[in-house]
Amino acid sequence: MEAQTKNISGISIVGQTNEKIVNYALNTIAIANNTIENVTVLPLRNELSGGAFSLKSCTKATIYAMDMPVSIDSKSSQNIIFSTSPSKVSNLARGNTIFGLANFDVPGFSILDAFTINGFTSDPTFYLSDSTGQMKSRIEQKYSNLRFLIRESDGYKLKFALLKDNLNNASNIQLSYTVNNVVKTERVLLGAPDSGGTGFRQLIISN
């Protein structure tokens, strides 16, 4: 699809069946300052293999790429991509939305690889990641508690939890802390009346 002398807008590809797409299922090219916008591609049926998607100077497109590669150049924005293989989506611009759909390996969905929801297991889990993938954290509902974990070199480690069960003279907070280089996780307890001053209790944790 090529916009040589003017903008192109309002193209839909629906219900297409192909034996095999050798190169691109969609390749947008815009000359000079022209743009291609409002393109919709619903899932394509392919007997052997589908084609890739290349978006250049493209805006407001909705692409159901499924497991096919997608490349988005720096002049494209406001596009929405649905992919079962988000690692195959190369997004060089800000302002595009990438939805990672569930597959056999990842039973959940993600948004821009920054926020992932996994509700397939008995423990619903949210994952958060920075743009480099170096900083990752996890929020999970487990054992009727809400747990907050941060990924370290040897896996996810619990840092904080909200506990469902109520105990006398205890808070519903569980904290991770380090004593003599040993990591411990304990429930925060309540001190005696006025232990934090008149009218206040201290929050205490075991040695």
Side-chain angles (χ1 to χ4, degrees), residues 23 41 44 62 83 117 145 178 193:
N23 293 314
V41 181
L44 304 177
T62 301
S83 174
I117 299 176
N145 302 320
T178 303

Side-chain angles (χ1 to χ4, degrees), residues 115-131:
F115 177 60
T116 303
I117 299 176
N118 179 6
F120 183 78
T121 66
S122 59
D123 306 319
T125 305
F126 299 87
Y127 294 89
L128 300 171
S129 176
D130 66 3
S131 59

Side-chain angles (χ1 to χ4, degrees), residues 8 36 58 62 90 92 163 173-174 184 201 205 207:
I8 295 178
I36 298 173
C58 185
T62 301
S90 173
L92 300 181
L163 309 177
I173 298 173
Q174 186 181 50
K184 299 183 178 182
R201 292 175 183 255
I205 200 161
N207 293 327

